[in-house]
Amino acid sequence: STHCISSAASDVYKRQLASVALHEAVEVMNSERREKGQGVIRIGVGLNTGPVTLGIIGDEERYSTSIIGDTVNLASRIEGLSKFYGVRIAISGSTKAALEKHFSLRFLDRTKARGKVEETSVYEVIDADPKELQQRKKRVSIDFHTGQQAVMEGALPEAISAFARVLQVMPEDVTTRHWLERASRRLLQGTENS
């Protein structure tokens, strides 16, 4: 797993291309691993855009470079969400602005960095998926979005129906299962707030 931080729009685009290429390289390596009877490797990437502080600590013989700041912390949180939602690449709302014209995106959820009040939207970059999965995600995108909107509006039976339709096409989709569980749990609890 890795997380990336950038600020210039062209840098964000280049890092996204690199993230997609990284996943393609892992797929090639996994094909070879399958032929040898070895397990596959899965990676998750989290991208965020914003200012960071770069520091170099040490002396001429031994030194270490590190970056710190809220941007880095949020990138790390987003990378963790890539695992939770079972997606290859997750990006922040600030990164979305630089990428939405070039890549297919899917809203995942809202999150905040540890110790922060402000939330940010998190999106999946669908282009990192194998072509067949990209096509299925695009085919069910209306039902998926309808389900999310219904959860946020408290229309939980409608949300459950929409997510069930998505899972008929993509039973392996972890993100949809999480949203379905959220809607079902709220319906059982009688909670209508998102």
Side-chain angles (χ1 to χ4, degrees):
S1 296
T2 186
H3 55 274
C4 301
I5 301 94
S6 183
S7 58
S10 64
D11 287 345
V12 174
Y13 179 72
K14 289 175 188 173
R15 279 167 183 68
Q16 181 56 43
L17 286 176
S19 297
V20 172
L22 177 64
H23 279 283
E24 290 171 353
V26 168
E27 283 303 312
V28 170
M29 186 174 65
N30 280 338
S31 294
E32 295 169 2
R33 292 178 63 83
R34 280 186 203 96
E35 289 175 10
K36 295 176 183 176
Q38 299 173 329
V40 298
I41 295 172
R42 299 192 196 297
I43 62 170
V45 175
L47 296 172
N48 188 26
T49 304
V52 299
T53 301
L54 170 71
I56 300 173
I57 301 170
D59 58 29
E60 296 171 3
E61 305 223 358
R62 182 176 168 193
Y63 62 91
S64 174
T65 305
S66 185
I67 53 174
I68 59 171
D70 290 343
T71 302
V72 178
N73 295 340
L74 185 55
S76 179
R77 173 81 174 123
I78 291 168
E79 180 265 328
L81 288 174
S82 74
K83 295 175 195 171
F84 179 77
Y85 282 107
V87 301
R88 296 163 188 261
I89 302 173
I91 64 171
S92 67
S94 60
T95 303
K96 174 188 180 257
L99 297 178
E100 63 188 337
K101 294 179 184 172
H102 307 286
F103 295 94
S104 297
L105 305 176
R106 176 170 80 155
F107 176 77
L108 293 176
D109 212 340
R110 296 197 43 84
T111 192
K112 56 187 170 184
R114 189 170 286 146
K116 297 297 172 185
V117 176
E118 186 178 322
E119 289 187 330
T120 186
S121 295
V122 180
Y123 300 85
E124 171 188 14
V125 178
I126 294 173
D127 301 75
D129 289 326
K131 295 292 182 206
E132 184 272 333
L133 183 54
Q134 288 180 40
Q135 292 168 351
R136 288 191 294 143
K137 283 183 180 179
K138 289 174 184 175
R139 190 170 51 221
V140 298
S141 64
I142 292 173
D143 279 332
F144 182 77
H145 179 72
T146 298
Q148 287 178 317
Q149 280 300 121
V151 168
M152 292 177 201
E153 294 169 2
L156 303 173
E158 181 184 339
I160 291 168
S161 295
F163 292 133
R165 289 190 301 273
V166 172
L167 289 173
Q168 288 175 346
V169 176
M170 295 189 328
E172 76 283 10
D173 190 44
V174 175
T175 302
T176 301
R177 279 191 260 131
H178 281 304
W179 276 91
L180 176 60
E181 288 170 14
R182 181 183 296 177
S184 298
R185 187 174 54 249
R186 288 183 181 170
L187 185 63
L188 288 173
Q189 293 171 346
T191 306
E192 295 186 6
N193 295 329
S194 59

